[in-house]
Amino acid sequence: MNTFELSYNALMSSNVSEKIELTNSLYKLCQNNELHYKEGFSIKEIESPGRPDKPNLVRFQNVPKRDNSDIGMIKTIHAICHIEFNAINLALDAVYRFRDMPDKFYQDWIRVAFEEAKHFSLINQYLNDLNYKYGDFDAHNGLWVMTFETGYDVLSRMALVPRVLEARGLDVTRNIQNRFVVSKFSRMVDILDIIFQDEIGHVKIGNHWFNTLCKERGLEPLIIFEKLIKKHIGSKLRGPFNIEARKLADFSKAELEYLQAS
């Protein structure tokens, strides 16, 4: 089975149920050692992956405000659901786009896609239980924008998507859980526990491949990381940072010191 064709099909599916099904099927084939990672399949520039007509995508500044009212908390749940939907596409694009990597690279990111699909499904089901659905509120496209902008090089992608965007989830999850604990939506605390533990693994995978690629290219990880931050983000990363979670995700001592000095 051609890994790149199958991951592309899942990535470009705009039907939510089909995308989940195709992602789960890809993972099952991977688990059963039925995938090939050397077969050719054209690489296309993808400005927008497959997604449903809703939610409407707006500028970050125009995303609906999310306070601690009931509707504000539901908007927060929807925002997390949107992040997890995007994360499926992020992982699938890593599988599809970057060729001539070790088999383990593709196996790692197929697993990430599968786990992100699980996260999305958990939150989407909870939204349904609350009589809402994915797409009911506007959302922004920041996660995919960075994915698109780093499509030119696997090292840049590994540096900035898992290690910056996904790692940010490690920093903010506990505070978000604290909001849900004292609300009628406390079920989200358990869902976020599942996501948090899996995301440590996802960021760890990003760190592994970033450092592996730096070693192969003779680059000093912290220097190239800082250069890529300046190139794509333009300013230092802002905290607070969950240092303990980032340690579990294999950020180096030097990197943690760099972040804390930002």
Side-chain angles (χ1 to χ4, degrees):
M1 303 293 284
N2 188 315
T3 303
F4 309 115
E5 182 176 3
L6 292 173
S7 57
Y8 177 80
N9 290 342
L11 175 65
M12 297 308 294
S13 174
S14 58
N15 181 282
V16 172
S17 297
E18 182 183 63
K19 185 184 291 287
I20 300 297
E21 182 180 343
L22 291 173
T23 300
N24 291 344
S25 175
L26 182 65
Y27 179 70
K28 185 176 181 180
L29 290 168
C30 178
Q31 292 295 97
N32 292 337
N33 296 313
E34 296 180 55
L35 293 176
H36 299 287
Y37 306 104
K38 304 302 180 188
E39 293 182 8
F41 188 72
S42 62
I43 304 174
K44 302 174 184 178
E45 192 173 80
I46 300 171
E47 291 193 20
S48 180
R51 56 165 62 98
D53 292 336
K54 299 283 188 176
N56 293 321
L57 298 181
V58 299
R59 295 181 62 188
F60 179 78
Q61 295 86 343
N62 296 331
V63 171
K65 301 299 181 184
R66 302 190 290 267
D67 56 25
N68 288 334
S69 66
D70 284 358
I71 191 64
M73 299 299 278
I74 290 168
K75 288 178 180 178
T76 298
I77 295 168
H78 183 274
I80 299 169
C81 192
H82 179 66
I83 288 169
E84 298 304 324
F85 183 82
N86 271 277
I88 303 169
N89 286 332
L90 269 54
L92 290 170
D93 190 79
V95 177
Y96 161 72
R97 185 158 307 284
F98 303 115
R99 308 298 165 85
D100 302 318
M101 294 293 289
D103 291 359
K104 185 65 165 59
F105 175 88
Y106 303 110
Q107 293 160 0
D108 280 347
W109 288 105
I110 289 170
R111 177 167 70 84
V112 172
F114 169 76
E115 291 178 350
E116 302 292 13
K118 175 186 69 176
H119 300 163
F120 170 82
S121 297
L122 284 170
I123 302 174
N124 192 41
Q125 182 58 58
Y126 186 37
L127 275 176
N128 294 164
D129 293 345
L130 295 169
N131 295 317
Y132 288 87
K133 63 183 182 298
Y134 178 56
D136 280 348
F137 303 99
D138 291 347
H140 71 85
N141 200 31
L143 289 175
W144 181 257
V145 170
M146 179 64 78
T147 303
F148 178 74
E149 289 180 354
T150 55
Y152 65 93
D153 180 34
V154 62
L155 187 148
S156 298
R157 174 71 62 81
M158 294 298 106
L160 296 180
V161 173
R163 288 164 38 89
V164 174
L165 301 186
E166 294 196 67
R168 190 63 188 149
L170 303 182
D171 301 328
V172 303
T173 294
R174 295 309 185 202
N175 285 339
I176 295 173
Q177 283 180 306
N178 290 338
R179 290 178 60 201
F180 284 118
V181 164
V182 295
S183 76
K184 65 171 67 173
F185 308 102
S186 58
R187 183 171 154 195
M188 275 298 294
V189 176
D190 293 334
I191 295 174
L192 286 170
D193 271 337
I194 294 169
I195 294 174
F196 184 77
Q197 292 303 319
D198 286 346
E199 292 297 342
I200 288 174
H202 300 174
V203 178
K204 188 173 183 175
I205 287 169
N207 272 323
H208 168 76
W209 289 109
F210 172 70
N211 286 296
T212 297
L213 289 160
C214 285
K215 186 175 181 180
E216 288 178 356
R217 299 184 190 186
L219 300 171
E220 202 290 313
L222 188 54
I223 292 175
I224 192 64
F225 183 54
E226 188 170 19
K227 286 182 178 179
L228 288 168
I229 292 291
K230 290 178 180 177
K231 176 179 179 179
H232 287 278
I233 299 176
S235 60
K236 290 188 175 182
L237 301 180
R238 292 182 293 178
F241 303 102
N242 187 333
I243 298 302
E244 292 307 311
R246 285 174 177 261
K247 284 180 181 177
L248 292 173
D250 286 350
F251 276 87
S252 69
K253 181 181 178 182
E255 286 172 326
L256 294 174
E257 290 174 350
Y258 164 75
L259 291 173
Q260 289 175 299
S262 297

PDB file of all heavy atoms in Angstrom, residues 207-232:
ATOM      1  N   ASN A 207      10.815  16.519  18.702  1.00  0.00           N
ATOM      2  CA  ASN A 207      12.169  16.763  19.203  1.00  0.00           C
ATOM      3  C   ASN A 207      13.153  15.730  18.669  1.00  0.00           C
ATOM      4  O   ASN A 207      14.285  16.069  18.284  1.00  0.00           O
ATOM      5  CB  ASN A 207      12.169  16.734  20.734  1.00  0.00           C
ATOM      6  CG  ASN A 207      11.876  18.086  21.349  1.00  0.00           C
ATOM      7  OD1 ASN A 207      12.318  19.112  20.834  1.00  0.00           O
ATOM      8  ND2 ASN A 207      11.141  18.099  22.438  1.00  0.00           N
ATOM      9  N   HIS A 208      12.744  14.472  18.657  1.00  0.00           N
ATOM     10  CA  HIS A 208      13.634  13.407  18.167  1.00  0.00           C
ATOM     11  C   HIS A 208      14.048  13.663  16.719  1.00  0.00           C
ATOM     12  O   HIS A 208      15.250  13.623  16.394  1.00  0.00           O
ATOM     13  CB  HIS A 208      12.947  12.049  18.274  1.00  0.00           C
ATOM     14  CG  HIS A 208      13.666  10.964  17.535  1.00  0.00           C
ATOM     15  ND1 HIS A 208      14.821  10.379  18.012  1.00  0.00           N
ATOM     16  CD2 HIS A 208      13.419  10.379  16.318  1.00  0.00           C
ATOM     17  CE1 HIS A 208      15.249   9.466  17.144  1.00  0.00           C
ATOM     18  NE2 HIS A 208      14.413   9.458  16.106  1.00  0.00           N
ATOM     19  N   TRP A 209      13.079  13.955  15.865  1.00  0.00           N
ATOM     20  CA  TRP A 209      13.416  14.113  14.447  1.00  0.00           C
ATOM     21  C   TRP A 209      14.121  15.433  14.171  1.00  0.00           C
ATOM     22  O   TRP A 209      15.000  15.500  13.300  1.00  0.00           O
ATOM     23  CB  TRP A 209      12.168  13.946  13.580  1.00  0.00           C
ATOM     24  CG  TRP A 209      11.717  12.518  13.575  1.00  0.00           C
ATOM     25  CD1 TRP A 209      10.610  11.982  14.175  1.00  0.00           C
ATOM     26  CD2 TRP A 209      12.426  11.413  12.991  1.00  0.00           C
ATOM     27  NE1 TRP A 209      10.577  10.620  13.993  1.00  0.00           N
ATOM     28  CE2 TRP A 209      11.671  10.249  13.267  1.00  0.00           C
ATOM     29  CE3 TRP A 209      13.605  11.293  12.274  1.00  0.00           C
ATOM     30  CZ2 TRP A 209      12.073   8.981  12.841  1.00  0.00           C
ATOM     31  CZ3 TRP A 209      14.016  10.040  11.839  1.00  0.00           C
ATOM     32  CH2 TRP A 209      13.249   8.903  12.130  1.00  0.00           C
ATOM     33  N   PHE A 210      13.784  16.461  14.922  1.00  0.00           N
ATOM     34  CA  PHE A 210      14.519  17.727  14.787  1.00  0.00           C
ATOM     35  C   PHE A 210      15.990  17.530  15.133  1.00  0.00           C
ATOM     36  O   PHE A 210      16.881  17.936  14.368  1.00  0.00           O
ATOM     37  CB  PHE A 210      13.900  18.790  15.700  1.00  0.00           C
ATOM     38  CG  PHE A 210      14.706  20.061  15.776  1.00  0.00           C
ATOM     39  CD1 PHE A 210      14.798  20.923  14.694  1.00  0.00           C
ATOM     40  CD2 PHE A 210      15.387  20.398  16.947  1.00  0.00           C
ATOM     41  CE1 PHE A 210      15.556  22.092  14.763  1.00  0.00           C
ATOM     42  CE2 PHE A 210      16.130  21.568  17.023  1.00  0.00           C
ATOM     43  CZ  PHE A 210      16.223  22.417  15.929  1.00  0.00           C
ATOM     44  N   ASN A 211      16.255  16.900  16.252  1.00  0.00           N
ATOM     45  CA  ASN A 211      17.646  16.692  16.665  1.00  0.00           C
ATOM     46  C   ASN A 211      18.376  15.712  15.765  1.00  0.00           C
ATOM     47  O   ASN A 211      19.568  15.885  15.491  1.00  0.00           O
ATOM     48  CB  ASN A 211      17.687  16.229  18.125  1.00  0.00           C
ATOM     49  CG  ASN A 211      17.398  17.358  19.098  1.00  0.00           C
ATOM     50  OD1 ASN A 211      18.149  18.320  19.199  1.00  0.00           O
ATOM     51  ND2 ASN A 211      16.289  17.265  19.814  1.00  0.00           N
ATOM     52  N   THR A 212      17.676  14.696  15.273  1.00  0.00           N
ATOM     53  CA  THR A 212      18.278  13.750  14.332  1.00  0.00           C
ATOM     54  C   THR A 212      18.699  14.460  13.053  1.00  0.00           C
ATOM     55  O   THR A 212      19.812  14.257  12.539  1.00  0.00           O
ATOM     56  CB  THR A 212      17.288  12.616  14.004  1.00  0.00           C
ATOM     57  OG1 THR A 212      17.000  11.871  15.196  1.00  0.00           O
ATOM     58  CG2 THR A 212      17.856  11.672  12.949  1.00  0.00           C
ATOM     59  N   LEU A 213      17.823  15.313  12.530  1.00  0.00           N
ATOM     60  CA  LEU A 213      18.122  16.043  11.302  1.00  0.00           C
ATOM     61  C   LEU A 213      19.246  17.054  11.510  1.00  0.00           C
ATOM     62  O   LEU A 213      20.104  17.235  10.627  1.00  0.00           O
ATOM     63  CB  LEU A 213      16.861  16.743  10.798  1.00  0.00           C
ATOM     64  CG  LEU A 213      15.799  15.804  10.231  1.00  0.00           C
ATOM     65  CD1 LEU A 213      14.430  16.474  10.221  1.00  0.00           C
ATOM     66  CD2 LEU A 213      16.175  15.351   8.816  1.00  0.00           C
ATOM     67  N   CYS A 214      19.258  17.707  12.655  1.00  0.00           N
ATOM     68  CA  CYS A 214      20.350  18.639  12.957  1.00  0.00           C
ATOM     69  C   CYS A 214      21.688  17.906  12.972  1.00  0.00           C
ATOM     70  O   CYS A 214      22.690  18.387  12.416  1.00  0.00           O
ATOM     71  CB  CYS A 214      20.118  19.322  14.304  1.00  0.00           C
ATOM     72  SG  CYS A 214      18.853  20.611  14.273  1.00  0.00           S
ATOM     73  N   LYS A 215      21.718  16.740  13.592  1.00  0.00           N
ATOM     74  CA  LYS A 215      22.952  15.948  13.661  1.00  0.00           C
ATOM     75  C   LYS A 215      23.397  15.522  12.259  1.00  0.00           C
ATOM     76  O   LYS A 215      24.586  15.619  11.917  1.00  0.00           O
ATOM     77  CB  LYS A 215      22.737  14.718  14.542  1.00  0.00           C
ATOM     78  CG  LYS A 215      23.991  13.906  14.794  1.00  0.00           C
ATOM     79  CD  LYS A 215      23.727  12.772  15.784  1.00  0.00           C
ATOM     80  CE  LYS A 215      25.000  11.979  16.038  1.00  0.00           C
ATOM     81  NZ  LYS A 215      24.764  10.872  17.012  1.00  0.00           N
ATOM     82  N   GLU A 216      22.445  15.076  11.447  1.00  0.00           N
ATOM     83  CA  GLU A 216      22.778  14.643  10.084  1.00  0.00           C
ATOM     84  C   GLU A 216      23.344  15.790   9.255  1.00  0.00           C
ATOM     85  O   GLU A 216      24.215  15.588   8.405  1.00  0.00           O
ATOM     86  CB  GLU A 216      21.536  14.081   9.399  1.00  0.00           C
ATOM     87  CG  GLU A 216      21.088  12.731   9.928  1.00  0.00           C
ATOM     88  CD  GLU A 216      19.815  12.242   9.255  1.00  0.00           C
ATOM     89  OE1 GLU A 216      19.252  12.998   8.429  1.00  0.00           O
ATOM     90  OE2 GLU A 216      19.398  11.104   9.546  1.00  0.00           O
ATOM     91  N   ARG A 217      22.855  17.010   9.489  1.00  0.00           N
ATOM     92  CA  ARG A 217      23.274  18.166   8.688  1.00  0.00           C
ATOM     93  C   ARG A 217      24.400  18.959   9.342  1.00  0.00           C
ATOM     94  O   ARG A 217      24.834  19.979   8.792  1.00  0.00           O
ATOM     95  CB  ARG A 217      22.066  19.079   8.454  1.00  0.00           C
ATOM     96  CG  ARG A 217      20.938  18.411   7.695  1.00  0.00           C
ATOM     97  CD  ARG A 217      19.805  19.378   7.408  1.00  0.00           C
ATOM     98  NE  ARG A 217      18.622  18.715   6.888  1.00  0.00           N
ATOM     99  CZ  ARG A 217      17.535  19.330   6.460  1.00  0.00           C
ATOM    100  NH1 ARG A 217      17.492  20.673   6.492  1.00  0.00           N
ATOM    101  NH2 ARG A 217      16.490  18.670   6.005  1.00  0.00           N
ATOM    102  N   GLY A 218      24.870  18.504  10.495  1.00  0.00           N
ATOM    103  CA  GLY A 218      25.958  19.194  11.172  1.00  0.00           C
ATOM    104  C   GLY A 218      25.558  20.555  11.723  1.00  0.00           C
ATOM    105  O   GLY A 218      26.378  21.482  11.737  1.00  0.00           O
ATOM    106  N   LEU A 219      24.322  20.682  12.177  1.00  0.00           N
ATOM    107  CA  LEU A 219      23.813  21.952  12.695  1.00  0.00           C
ATOM    108  C   LEU A 219      23.687  21.897  14.215  1.00  0.00           C
ATOM    109  O   LEU A 219      23.368  20.847  14.783  1.00  0.00           O
ATOM    110  CB  LEU A 219      22.441  22.254  12.085  1.00  0.00           C
ATOM    111  CG  LEU A 219      22.384  22.372  10.558  1.00  0.00           C
ATOM    112  CD1 LEU A 219      20.935  22.454  10.088  1.00  0.00           C
ATOM    113  CD2 LEU A 219      23.164  23.592  10.092  1.00  0.00           C
ATOM    114  N   GLU A 220      23.905  23.037  14.852  1.00  0.00           N
ATOM    115  CA  GLU A 220      23.714  23.124  16.300  1.00  0.00           C
ATOM    116  C   GLU A 220      22.235  23.428  16.539  1.00  0.00           C
ATOM    117  O   GLU A 220      21.713  24.443  16.077  1.00  0.00           O
ATOM    118  CB  GLU A 220      24.589  24.237  16.876  1.00  0.00           C
ATOM    119  CG  GLU A 220      24.884  24.091  18.369  1.00  0.00           C
ATOM    120  CD  GLU A 220      23.673  24.336  19.235  1.00  0.00           C
ATOM    121  OE1 GLU A 220      22.982  25.349  19.001  1.00  0.00           O
ATOM    122  OE2 GLU A 220      23.398  23.501  20.125  1.00  0.00           O
ATOM    123  N   PRO A 221      21.514  22.545  17.239  1.00  0.00           N
ATOM    124  CA  PRO A 221      20.052  22.660  17.340  1.00  0.00           C
ATOM    125  C   PRO A 221      19.550  24.009  17.842  1.00  0.00           C
ATOM    126  O   PRO A 221      18.614  24.571  17.255  1.00  0.00           O
ATOM    127  CB  PRO A 221      19.677  21.529  18.307  1.00  0.00           C
ATOM    128  CG  PRO A 221      20.756  20.517  18.127  1.00  0.00           C
ATOM    129  CD  PRO A 221      22.004  21.317  17.883  1.00  0.00           C
ATOM    130  N   LEU A 222      20.147  24.537  18.885  1.00  0.00           N
ATOM    131  CA  LEU A 222      19.627  25.776  19.450  1.00  0.00           C
ATOM    132  C   LEU A 222      19.822  26.956  18.505  1.00  0.00           C
ATOM    133  O   LEU A 222      18.948  27.825  18.387  1.00  0.00           O
ATOM    134  CB  LEU A 222      20.283  26.065  20.803  1.00  0.00           C
ATOM    135  CG  LEU A 222      19.691  27.230  21.590  1.00  0.00           C
ATOM    136  CD1 LEU A 222      18.191  27.054  21.779  1.00  0.00           C
ATOM    137  CD2 LEU A 222      20.380  27.368  22.943  1.00  0.00           C
ATOM    138  N   ILE A 223      20.958  26.977  17.802  1.00  0.00           N
ATOM    139  CA  ILE A 223      21.229  28.074  16.866  1.00  0.00           C
ATOM    140  C   ILE A 223      20.235  28.057  15.714  1.00  0.00           C
ATOM    141  O   ILE A 223      19.652  29.093  15.358  1.00  0.00           O
ATOM    142  CB  ILE A 223      22.680  27.994  16.343  1.00  0.00           C
ATOM    143  CG1 ILE A 223      23.667  28.293  17.482  1.00  0.00           C
ATOM    144  CG2 ILE A 223      22.887  28.958  15.180  1.00  0.00           C
ATOM    145  CD1 ILE A 223      25.128  28.110  17.096  1.00  0.00           C
ATOM    146  N   ILE A 224      20.013  26.880  15.126  1.00  0.00           N
ATOM    147  CA  ILE A 224      19.098  26.808  13.987  1.00  0.00           C
ATOM    148  C   ILE A 224      17.659  27.030  14.448  1.00  0.00           C
ATOM    149  O   ILE A 224      16.848  27.638  13.732  1.00  0.00           O
ATOM    150  CB  ILE A 224      19.244  25.464  13.230  1.00  0.00           C
ATOM    151  CG1 ILE A 224      18.498  25.521  11.890  1.00  0.00           C
ATOM    152  CG2 ILE A 224      18.773  24.297  14.047  1.00  0.00           C
ATOM    153  CD1 ILE A 224      19.041  26.521  10.906  1.00  0.00           C
ATOM    154  N   PHE A 225      17.329  26.587  15.647  1.00  0.00           N
ATOM    155  CA  PHE A 225      15.987  26.808  16.183  1.00  0.00           C
ATOM    156  C   PHE A 225      15.709  28.304  16.326  1.00  0.00           C
ATOM    157  O   PHE A 225      14.667  28.805  15.904  1.00  0.00           O
ATOM    158  CB  PHE A 225      15.853  26.103  17.533  1.00  0.00           C
ATOM    159  CG  PHE A 225      14.486  26.202  18.160  1.00  0.00           C
ATOM    160  CD1 PHE A 225      13.347  25.817  17.474  1.00  0.00           C
ATOM    161  CD2 PHE A 225      14.354  26.659  19.471  1.00  0.00           C
ATOM    162  CE1 PHE A 225      12.091  25.900  18.064  1.00  0.00           C
ATOM    163  CE2 PHE A 225      13.094  26.741  20.063  1.00  0.00           C
ATOM    164  CZ  PHE A 225      11.969  26.355  19.360  1.00  0.00           C
ATOM    165  N   GLU A 226      16.674  29.023  16.873  1.00  0.00           N
ATOM    166  CA  GLU A 226      16.509  30.461  17.054  1.00  0.00           C
ATOM    167  C   GLU A 226      16.377  31.167  15.707  1.00  0.00           C
ATOM    168  O   GLU A 226      15.564  32.086  15.544  1.00  0.00           O
ATOM    169  CB  GLU A 226      17.681  31.032  17.855  1.00  0.00           C
ATOM    170  CG  GLU A 226      17.486  32.483  18.252  1.00  0.00           C
ATOM    171  CD  GLU A 226      18.517  32.966  19.247  1.00  0.00           C
ATOM    172  OE1 GLU A 226      19.580  32.315  19.367  1.00  0.00           O
ATOM    173  OE2 GLU A 226      18.271  33.991  19.895  1.00  0.00           O
ATOM    174  N   LYS A 227      17.160  30.729  14.713  1.00  0.00           N
ATOM    175  CA  LYS A 227      17.072  31.321  13.377  1.00  0.00           C
ATOM    176  C   LYS A 227      15.695  31.096  12.758  1.00  0.00           C
ATOM    177  O   LYS A 227      15.115  31.987  12.143  1.00  0.00           O
ATOM    178  CB  LYS A 227      18.158  30.727  12.464  1.00  0.00           C
ATOM    179  CG  LYS A 227      19.558  31.239  12.747  1.00  0.00           C
ATOM    180  CD  LYS A 227      20.556  30.629  11.773  1.00  0.00           C
ATOM    181  CE  LYS A 227      21.960  31.184  12.013  1.00  0.00           C
ATOM    182  NZ  LYS A 227      22.956  30.573  11.075  1.00  0.00           N
ATOM    183  N   LEU A 228      15.157  29.896  12.950  1.00  0.00           N
ATOM    184  CA  LEU A 228      13.849  29.580  12.384  1.00  0.00           C
ATOM    185  C   LEU A 228      12.730  30.331  13.108  1.00  0.00           C
ATOM    186  O   LEU A 228      11.742  30.732  12.484  1.00  0.00           O
ATOM    187  CB  LEU A 228      13.607  28.066  12.435  1.00  0.00           C
ATOM    188  CG  LEU A 228      14.445  27.250  11.442  1.00  0.00           C
ATOM    189  CD1 LEU A 228      14.360  25.765  11.755  1.00  0.00           C
ATOM    190  CD2 LEU A 228      14.005  27.518  10.003  1.00  0.00           C
ATOM    191  N   ILE A 229      12.877  30.529  14.400  1.00  0.00           N
ATOM    192  CA  ILE A 229      11.912  31.333  15.154  1.00  0.00           C
ATOM    193  C   ILE A 229      11.872  32.750  14.583  1.00  0.00           C
ATOM    194  O   ILE A 229      10.801  33.323  14.331  1.00  0.00           O
ATOM    195  CB  ILE A 229      12.273  31.378  16.652  1.00  0.00           C
ATOM    196  CG1 ILE A 229      12.083  30.007  17.305  1.00  0.00           C
ATOM    197  CG2 ILE A 229      11.446  32.437  17.390  1.00  0.00           C
ATOM    198  CD1 ILE A 229      10.665  29.562  17.430  1.00  0.00           C
ATOM    199  N   LYS A 230      13.042  33.340  14.377  1.00  0.00           N
ATOM    200  CA  LYS A 230      13.115  34.701  13.838  1.00  0.00           C
ATOM    201  C   LYS A 230      12.546  34.765  12.429  1.00  0.00           C
ATOM    202  O   LYS A 230      11.852  35.723  12.063  1.00  0.00           O
ATOM    203  CB  LYS A 230      14.562  35.185  13.852  1.00  0.00           C
ATOM    204  CG  LYS A 230      15.110  35.459  15.245  1.00  0.00           C
ATOM    205  CD  LYS A 230      16.562  35.901  15.186  1.00  0.00           C
ATOM    206  CE  LYS A 230      17.113  36.175  16.584  1.00  0.00           C
ATOM    207  NZ  LYS A 230      18.552  36.550  16.564  1.00  0.00           N
ATOM    208  N   LYS A 231      12.816  33.742  11.617  1.00  0.00           N
ATOM    209  CA  LYS A 231      12.361  33.736  10.228  1.00  0.00           C
ATOM    210  C   LYS A 231      10.850  33.614  10.126  1.00  0.00           C
ATOM    211  O   LYS A 231      10.207  34.337   9.342  1.00  0.00           O
ATOM    212  CB  LYS A 231      13.025  32.575   9.471  1.00  0.00           C
ATOM    213  CG  LYS A 231      12.545  32.429   8.028  1.00  0.00           C
ATOM    214  CD  LYS A 231      13.253  31.270   7.335  1.00  0.00           C
ATOM    215  CE  LYS A 231      12.739  31.110   5.895  1.00  0.00           C
ATOM    216  NZ  LYS A 231      13.430  30.014   5.179  1.00  0.00           N
ATOM    217  N   HIS A 232      10.255  32.725  10.907  1.00  0.00           N
ATOM    218  CA  HIS A 232       8.840  32.405  10.724  1.00  0.00           C
ATOM    219  C   HIS A 232       7.910  33.079  11.732  1.00  0.00           C
ATOM    220  O   HIS A 232       6.724  33.235  11.449  1.00  0.00           O
ATOM    221  CB  HIS A 232       8.643  30.888  10.792  1.00  0.00           C
ATOM    222  CG  HIS A 232       9.151  30.165   9.594  1.00  0.00           C
ATOM    223  ND1 HIS A 232       8.425  30.055   8.433  1.00  0.00           N
ATOM    224  CD2 HIS A 232      10.321  29.513   9.367  1.00  0.00           C
ATOM    225  CE1 HIS A 232       9.126  29.367   7.543  1.00  0.00           C
ATOM    226  NE2 HIS A 232      10.275  29.019   8.079  1.00  0.00           N
TER     227      HIS A 232
END
